[in-house]
Amino acid sequence: MNTAPRFLWVDISKGIAIIAVVLLHINFQFYESKYVPLTALLGSLWHVPVFFLLGGFFLKEEKLLQTTSFIKGKIKSLYYLLLYFYIPAVLLHNTMLYIGFYDPTISYGGKIMTIWDVSEMIKELILSICLAGREPILGAMWFVYVLFIALCGLSITSKILHLLIKDKKKYEWIRCATLLFFCILSSTMTNLFGFTIPRFNNTFTAMWLIYCGYILKNNFHLNFTNKFICLISILIVYHIATMQGGVLLNANQYHDALTLTISSIAALYIVNYTSQKIEKSYIGHILAFCGKNSFYIMGLHFLGFKLGTIILSWIGIKQNLGELMAPAQSSFVLLLFYLIFSVVFSLLFITSLRQLKAIVEHLSISRFYNQKSQ
């Protein structure tokens, strides 16, 4: 495969996954039965695992082993972006309570919203900087925190093992066994013993999934174009969905590491196969644009839900603005409205911000040359 199509279909796959994430953050009464577990099939079984798998596609061994430069790169590309979202969200915490974006009577993942004084504000800012931010309106950004930590952890683990093991084959097998062991241990602690440290246990799960994506792309060189493997993957995903339902990687809750790995890879094959089939279509380009900007959709779609609720109130449709998940209930029309509006808002926001930045940079350069010419 040449470079352009590869990047295009990967972006489409990310677009499919992020649409599934937004869809299942809408409070809608999806049809459910033991034969058709719709929520699991629409994404709760696979959307976040697929993101982690795709996160390993373009890792390079030589860069992983350059731990210092690799981590510095991830600090610039992921950590700083997180802070650009989290610091304003924390500073606006009290404001969001005043305007009704938060409801003090609602529990947001076990967290009750209260007005913060200066000391509490500083405490929350420090927690955000230390990868422990929990501002509800950025609830989906736990994924980026874990992705950042997992990528750094994968680089450190690879470097240590590379220094200890000189034989390349042994190194790869031992790295695989080590990461799988950490994933199994993490799963056991969470799902068997009920012991979970947020953004610690699921980091080991993420490291394993990222590594699997890396191996599939760089060692096995899968091109995800075999229709028979796609059909088998559909059977696997359906079977696991009916037997076990979805997974909740935010809380590191899933049945076991083996089932998670199999279902995630099978779902990845389906998504990537579909992406390549539609990459030349109009919908394919739309999904690719969503995929390229999936970080911003993840960070802004909860805000989009609230703005959507405000717009609905203007036409007489009253919803609780304080609800974190979009309150579509049993209305399919509201489901589509919240889904489309939140995604479009996120894309318009980041596109406008980039254009504004480009204008400011252009004006700054023009002023510099004007002053120089004078």
Side-chain angles (χ1 to χ4, degrees), residues 256-270:
D256 60 81
L258 180 60
T259 305
L260 174 70
T261 304
I262 294 172
S263 63
S264 301
I265 292 174
L268 176 74
Y269 203 101
I270 298 167

Side-chain angles (χ1 to χ4, degrees), residues 131-182:
L131 305 173
R134 286 192 63 203
E135 198 61 27
I137 204 164
L138 296 178
M141 297 298 275
W142 72 266
F143 168 83
V144 186
Y145 270 127
V146 170
L147 178 64
F148 170 71
I149 302 169
L151 286 169
C152 295
L154 180 58
S155 177
I156 294 169
T157 302
S158 299
K159 181 66 174 181
I160 292 173
L161 292 176
H162 186 263
L163 291 173
L164 295 175
I165 305 160
K166 301 305 179 183
D167 184 277
K168 288 186 177 180
K169 287 186 178 180
K170 287 184 179 179
Y171 159 74
E172 198 60 80
W173 278 110
I174 292 175
R175 178 167 63 166
C176 178
T178 300
L179 293 170
L180 178 57
F181 170 77
F182 284 144

Side-chain angles (χ1 to χ4, degrees), residues 236-272:
I236 291 172
V237 169
Y238 174 76
H239 175 63
I240 294 176
T242 54
M243 293 294 104
Q244 299 176 11
V247 302
L248 191 62
L249 291 194
N250 184 15
N252 204 42
Q253 294 176 0
Y254 51 92
H255 191 269
D256 60 81
L258 180 60
T259 305
L260 174 70
T261 304
I262 294 172
S263 63
S264 301
I265 292 174
L268 176 74
Y269 203 101
I270 298 167
V271 171
N272 285 347

Side-chain angles (χ1 to χ4, degrees), residues 61-192:
E61 183 69 12
E62 58 272 19
K63 291 185 178 180
L64 272 176
L65 296 178
Q66 295 172 1
T67 304
T68 302
S69 61
F70 181 85
I71 293 177
K72 284 181 178 179
K74 297 308 170 188
I75 289 174
K76 292 179 180 178
S77 64
L78 289 175
Y79 178 68
Y80 286 164
L81 277 176
L82 270 170
L83 295 187
Y84 293 154
F85 277 81
Y86 253 98
I87 290 176
V90 170
L91 293 175
L92 291 171
H93 171 89
N94 289 345
T95 301
M96 286 189 281
L97 259 170
Y98 290 137
I99 64 177
F101 277 16
Y102 292 149
D103 187 334
T105 66
I106 293 176
S107 174
Y108 297 92
K111 189 174 183 180
I112 300 296
M113 297 295 100
T114 58
I115 297 295
W116 292 343
D117 57 23
V118 175
S119 62
E120 287 175 306
M121 187 74 70
I122 293 173
K123 171 191 169 186
E124 292 297 328
L125 285 171
I126 293 172
L127 286 174
S128 298
I129 293 169
C130 295
L131 305 173
R134 286 192 63 203
E135 198 61 27
I137 204 164
L138 296 178
M141 297 298 275
W142 72 266
F143 168 83
V144 186
Y145 270 127
V146 170
L147 178 64
F148 170 71
I149 302 169
L151 286 169
C152 295
L154 180 58
S155 177
I156 294 169
T157 302
S158 299
K159 181 66 174 181
I160 292 173
L161 292 176
H162 186 263
L163 291 173
L164 295 175
I165 305 160
K166 301 305 179 183
D167 184 277
K168 288 186 177 180
K169 287 186 178 180
K170 287 184 179 179
Y171 159 74
E172 198 60 80
W173 278 110
I174 292 175
R175 178 167 63 166
C176 178
T178 300
L179 293 170
L180 178 57
F181 170 77
F182 284 144
C183 179
I184 291 173
L185 179 62
S186 166
S187 175
T188 301
M189 296 303 295
T190 296
N191 300 290
L192 193 59

Side-chain angles (χ1 to χ4, degrees), residues 299-310:
L300 293 168
H301 71 275
F302 280 126
L303 176 58
F305 290 160
K306 295 186 180 299
L307 296 178
T309 296
I310 292 174

